[in-house]
Amino acid sequence: MSGVELDNCTNLKAISIELCQFQDRARNAASLVVIAILAGCIGGAGNYLQHRELQLSVKVGSSRKLDENELQNRITSNYKVESRSFFALGVLASLLVPLFLHLIGSNITTDTISKPGNLLVYAGFCVIAALSSKRFISQVAEKALAKANQSEESTKQVDQRVHELEAELREKELHSEKHLSNVNYAHSFCNEAKAHLVQYAMHEADPERKNTNKDTLNDAISALERSISYVETARAYGLLANTYSRLSKSEKNKSTQHLESALTACRKSISVNSNIDADAEALADCLYNSVCYGVRLDLELDKLYEYVDEIVKQPDVGGVIKSLSELLVDADIQGCSKSADVIRYINDQLKRLTK
């Protein structure tokens, strides 16, 4: 048998299976309708008999003096009309049973193919519905309306949520575009500051350009502050601290204003590095410079030890040892009034790390 013939056989089998399944579903649906009609008739008859029994008891009790034939004529006068209405209501209530089962989340009607016993359960539902047809119809109608209202409310909530998400997405896109623009501006001003610092380094030793060099440093500070106004980065704060430190060294007076600004920028760089912008190189530089600026400002020993401990707590042990070793020979450390205590503390930390 060729491949084409095999494919044709496979397709025919698939079509045959689908056709059989469709026929089973059709027979099942027909069975459900027939059961609903029969059960509706049975339940309608039962409901009618209950009604007539009650009606008879009332009429007999209130008409004892009437002739028996006259009473019988009154009882049977509306028989055909009433019986038809009860049968019709019974069938109608039974036909609403699938809707009721769907509303309560039952799968009895779909499981009757694999579980024929469910047909008896379904028939029982139909009979019960027909026995209390008026009440059942009104309750199903109320449930259906409530379900429709609930679905409408859910749809409104979903639509509202979709609109909210769209608004949030647009806001995020705008924020992202704005942030990207701010980052570009920040990098631009940071590069401008670096250019000023390079220019300063080229002419730092020239005494004739002393005032010009100060202006260059001030221009660098201005550029870095503008960069930070767009996006706070550890690198920008680190450069700002370094620039303030250079400006402090270039002044003849002993004012600590620029040096304090340098230490503040240094600490800010460390904070930003921890929370927003991870930059290992900037962090290492600022941790190192915090100690140097601290000794130049003659801070308390506890504060200086705290700055040293921040270096020691870094995960890169090799980098920590290198930073501490460089601090031991740093001119700022060697020239401070508390150099002996600071150097001893640094040596103690080095010994502990190199054990």
Side-chain angles (χ1 to χ4, degrees):
M1 185 178 291
S2 65
V4 175
E5 291 176 342
L6 286 173
D7 290 340
N8 290 335
C9 289
T10 303
N11 292 334
L12 287 173
K13 287 181 180 179
I15 293 172
S16 177
I17 292 172
E18 290 180 0
L19 182 60
C20 290
Q21 291 176 348
F22 174 77
Q23 290 175 345
D24 289 340
R25 289 194 295 269
R27 281 195 294 268
N28 181 62
S31 300
L32 294 176
V33 172
V34 171
I35 290 173
I37 293 173
L38 293 176
C41 292
I42 295 171
N47 193 14
Y48 173 72
L49 292 175
Q50 289 178 349
H51 173 73
R52 294 303 293 174
E53 183 179 355
L54 179 62
Q55 195 176 42
L56 281 171
S57 63
V58 172
K59 287 188 176 183
V60 170
S62 60
S63 308
R64 293 185 181 277
K65 296 182 180 180
L66 292 176
D67 182 74
E68 185 175 342
N69 292 329
E70 184 180 355
L71 179 61
Q72 186 65 30
N73 290 333
R74 289 189 181 185
I75 292 174
T76 57
S77 59
N78 295 324
Y79 168 76
K80 292 183 178 181
V81 176
E82 289 185 351
S83 61
R84 288 173 184 173
S85 64
F86 275 97
F87 277 95
L89 287 173
V91 172
L92 178 59
S94 295
L95 292 174
L96 288 176
V97 167
L99 174 60
F100 172 76
L101 294 174
H102 173 72
L103 292 175
I104 65 174
S106 175
N107 296 322
I108 291 178
T109 55
T110 57
D111 290 343
T112 52
I113 297 176
S114 58
K115 299 177 182 178
N118 283 342
L119 288 173
L120 296 176
V121 179
Y122 172 74
F125 268 114
C126 291
V127 172
I128 293 173
L131 283 171
S132 55
S133 55
K134 289 184 179 180
R135 186 170 58 183
F136 180 78
I137 291 171
S138 63
Q139 287 181 351
V140 170
E142 290 175 1
K143 275 185 174 292
L145 290 174
K147 188 79 172 179
N149 291 333
Q150 184 180 2
S151 299
E152 184 179 357
E153 186 66 25
S154 299
T155 303
K156 289 181 179 179
Q157 291 178 357
V158 170
D159 290 340
Q160 183 179 358
R161 183 57 182 160
V162 168
H163 291 318
E164 290 176 356
L165 290 174
E166 288 177 350
E168 290 177 5
L169 182 60
R170 285 194 297 269
E171 185 177 352
K172 286 181 179 179
E173 289 176 350
L174 292 174
H175 179 73
S176 178
E177 292 176 0
K178 183 179 179 181
H179 179 71
L180 182 60
S181 176
N182 288 344
V183 169
N184 291 333
Y185 280 123
H187 283 312
S188 175
F189 284 116
C190 200
N191 290 332
E192 180 184 335
K194 288 178 181 178
H196 288 308
L197 291 174
V198 169
Q199 183 181 355
Y200 171 81
M202 291 172 60
H203 304 287
E204 183 178 5
D206 188 354
E208 295 181 358
R209 293 180 57 89
K210 186 174 182 179
N211 292 330
T212 305
N213 287 341
K214 283 186 179 181
D215 292 338
T216 303
L217 290 175
N218 285 321
D219 290 340
I221 290 172
S222 177
L224 287 168
E225 287 177 344
R226 293 186 68 181
S227 173
I228 290 168
S229 69
Y230 284 103
V231 178
E232 291 186 334
T233 62
R235 176 62 57 184
Y237 274 116
L239 288 173
L240 184 62
N242 186 270
T243 307
Y244 272 122
S245 175
R246 292 183 181 186
L247 189 60
S248 174
K249 288 182 178 180
S250 68
E251 293 180 338
K252 291 182 179 180
N253 58 34
K254 300 298 182 181
S255 173
T256 60
Q257 179 182 356
H258 293 312
L259 191 56
E260 289 172 353
S261 298
L263 181 59
T264 300
C266 214
R267 303 309 299 173
K268 186 65 176 179
S269 176
I270 295 171
S271 174
V272 170
N273 205 305
S274 302
N275 300 320
I276 303 173
D277 177 48
D279 188 330
E281 184 180 354
L283 177 61
D285 289 343
C286 288
L287 289 173
Y288 182 96
N289 289 332
S290 291
V291 180
C292 295
Y293 300 158
V295 297
R296 286 169 61 187
L297 287 168
D298 198 25
L299 298 182
E300 295 293 331
L301 281 174
D302 289 342
K303 180 58 71 173
L304 296 176
Y305 294 162
E306 180 183 330
Y307 291 162
V308 173
D309 289 339
E310 286 180 342
I311 298 175
V312 175
K313 291 177 183 177
Q314 297 307 303
D316 182 8
V317 178
V320 170
I321 293 174
K322 179 183 176 183
S323 295
L324 294 179
S325 300
E326 291 176 354
L327 280 173
L328 288 175
V329 296
D330 190 280
D332 290 332
I333 304 296
Q334 295 289 339
C336 75
S337 60
K338 300 172 182 175
S339 61
D341 294 321
V342 174
I343 290 173
R344 183 170 56 253
Y345 188 78
I346 293 173
N347 277 322
D348 290 342
Q349 299 302 316
L350 278 172
K351 289 177 183 178
R352 187 174 63 82
L353 290 170
T354 54
K355 279 184 180 180

